[in-house]
Amino acid sequence: MTRFDVLTVGNAIVDIIARCDDQFLIENNITKAAMNLIDAERAELLYSRMGPALEASGGSAGNTAAGVANFGGKAAYFGKVAEDQLGQIFAHDIRAQGVHYETKAKGTFPPTARSMIFVTEDGERSMNTYLGACVELGPEDVEEDVVADAKVTYFEGYLWDPPRAKEAIRECARIAHTNGREMSMTLSDSFCVGRYRHEFLDLMRSGTVDIVFANRDEALSLYETDDFEKALTLIAADCKIAAVTTGKDGAVVVRGNERYVVDAHPIEERVDTTGAGDLFAAGFLFGYTQGRGLEDCAKLGNLAAAIVIEQIGPRPMRSLSEAAKEFGLL
C-alpha cells in the first residue's frame, strides 16, 4: 500500500476569472487561448481593467491534485506561495479538497502568484500569469518521503519557466525511479512547448518522464509538424504512455503499438475551458493508479474535463466520484 496515488508539482496560483469579448483581448494585446507570462506592473494594469471577477485557487497541477482527491484518490501537492492573503486562500482551498500540502510559504515578497483569466463568449480562456512566489520553488521543497510513497509524480510544463523548479523536478524523478515509481508531465501550452521543445523531448527520451499529457496543438508543436498522425507515432516512440486530448473529439492514448481513441463525454453547454486539461489528467491518473485499463482512464479523464467545462472555474463543484458512478465508470 502506498500513502499517495498521485503527487503533483506545480505553480501555486490563485485564478482571478472574468468574462470579456474578443475586442477586449485585442485592445489589451492578450494572446487568445494561451498562457501569457506577465510582470507585476502589467498584472496591476489588467486587474484594473477587469470586470466583475471570481477568485479561485488554481494552478495547473494544483487543479489536477484537487481532481484526483475529488475522485476519491489520495493526492499530494508541492507548490510555493507567499505569507499573504492569496497564499492563505490557496493553502486553505487545496487542503479543504483533501490534498496533502505542506510546502513552506516564503515571506511576503514576491507575493503569491495570480493569473488574470479572461473567458470569451466561446468559452476559451486567455491566461495572464504573474508567477510571483512560484519562482521560489526549489529542491529544498521536495519532501522525499512523499515522492517515494506516491505511485505517480506529475508536474506541469509551466514549471520549466522558473529555473530552480527544474532542479526540484529532477530530484523528484530521481527519488521516484529509485523507489520504483513513475513520473508524468503535461506539456501545458503550445507556447511553453516552443520555449522548451528540446528539453521536453530529452525528459521523455531519457526516461526521466514516463507518462506524457498533451493536447493536439501541443503535440503538433512538440514535433514541429501539422500531421497529427505523425505526431502520435513520434510521441508513442518517445515515452511509455502518452494521452493526447483532441477537444470535442475526446482523446487518443498511445502505448507502444497500442492506440485507444476515446470519444469526448457529452456536455450541455461549453461555459469555460479553464482547467479542462488539468481535470482530464486527474481522471486519467486516478484511473491509472487504481489499475484501470487505458481506455477507462481516458473515459474518466473525459468525464472530469466535461464537468469542469460546464462551470466557471478550474475545480469541479460536484463530486467526480458520484458522477463516475452515475455513468458506470466506477
Side-chain angles (χ1 to χ4, degrees):
M1 294 291 290
T2 54
R3 187 174 165 206
F4 300 107
D5 296 315
V6 182
L7 160 66
T8 74
V9 188
N11 290 325
I13 298 171
V14 175
D15 293 335
I16 304 170
I17 307 168
R19 291 189 175 278
C20 75
D21 56 22
D22 285 316
Q23 187 60 34
F24 180 91
L25 301 182
I26 294 168
E27 291 173 355
N28 288 280
N29 197 28
I30 296 170
T31 304
K32 185 172 181 177
M35 195 279 283
N36 309 276
L37 286 176
I38 59 175
D39 59 19
E41 184 178 359
R42 181 155 171 79
E44 289 295 328
L45 175 66
L46 290 178
Y47 185 71
S48 71
R49 295 180 178 178
M50 292 183 91
L54 167 72
E55 289 186 0
S57 296
S60 175
N63 296 336
T64 299
V68 170
N70 195 319
F71 269 111
K74 296 170 290 185
Y77 178 72
F78 298 163
K80 204 75 165 174
V81 297
E83 295 173 331
D84 56 17
Q85 184 179 5
L86 288 184
Q88 291 170 2
I89 289 171
F90 183 92
H92 171 271
D93 285 357
I94 198 162
R95 289 171 182 151
Q97 296 273 351
V99 177
H100 169 92
Y101 175 57
E102 298 297 334
T103 307
K104 187 177 179 181
K106 184 178 176 68
T108 56
F109 188 85
T112 296
R114 70 286 313 267
S115 183
M116 270 67 71
I117 302 178
F118 296 95
V119 181
T120 41
E121 292 177 0
D122 56 3
E124 282 292 354
R125 82 282 186 271
S126 306
M127 299 179 288
N128 303 267
T129 305
Y130 169 57
L131 290 176
C134 284
V135 301
E136 304 296 331
L137 183 75
E140 68 278 6
D141 296 306
V142 174
E143 299 165 51
E144 184 166 354
D145 61 322
V146 175
V147 181
D149 217 11
K151 293 177 185 176
V152 177
T153 294
Y154 166 94
F155 68 95
E156 57 190 72
Y158 290 136
L159 275 183
W160 242 241
D161 285 312
R164 294 183 66 249
K166 296 182 185 182
E167 300 175 41
I169 292 303
R170 293 190 187 281
E171 177 65 3
C172 285
R174 182 192 67 78
I175 297 166
H177 288 141
T178 297
N179 287 275
R181 312 303 186 192
E182 291 179 293
M183 287 293 294
S184 178
M185 75 174 292
T186 173
L187 298 186
S188 291
D189 184 288
S190 55
F191 291 91
C192 188
V193 173
R195 292 193 292 274
Y196 302 111
R197 178 176 296 107
H198 298 298
E199 291 180 69
F200 286 176
L201 286 170
D202 181 65
L203 287 170
M204 296 159 59
R205 291 167 178 169
S206 67
T208 304
V209 168
D210 305 292
I211 305 167
V212 175
F213 291 88
N215 63 28
R216 181 189 177 96
D217 289 342
E218 292 155 7
L220 294 174
S221 176
L222 184 65
Y223 295 103
E224 298 182 278
T225 181
D226 57 5
D227 184 339
F228 187 51
E229 283 298 315
K230 178 181 178 181
L232 287 175
T233 300
L234 290 171
I235 202 168
D238 282 340
C239 61
K240 179 180 172 182
I241 297 171
V244 183
T245 56
T246 52
K248 61 181 176 57
D249 295 323
V252 183
V253 184
V254 292
R255 177 172 57 190
N257 293 325
E258 299 174 52
R259 180 179 297 195
Y260 304 90
V261 180
V262 182
D263 290 340
H265 190 86
I267 61 171
E268 292 183 8
E269 183 184 5
R270 190 173 190 250
V271 176
D272 174 15
T273 59
T274 306
D278 307 333
L279 269 294
F280 174 85
F284 188 99
L285 289 173
F286 171 74
Y288 184 76
T289 55
Q290 304 307 306
R292 304 292 290 270
L294 296 181
E295 188 171 5
D296 281 353
C297 293
K299 288 179 179 178
L300 287 164
N302 284 340
L303 170 66
I307 287 172
V308 85
I309 284 170
E310 292 183 315
Q311 65 172 55
I312 289 286
R315 298 189 180 173
M317 297 175 188
R318 62 179 290 197
S319 168
L320 294 176
S321 60
E322 289 302 317
K325 291 172 185 174
E326 178 185 335
F327 289 100
L329 298 177
L330 284 182

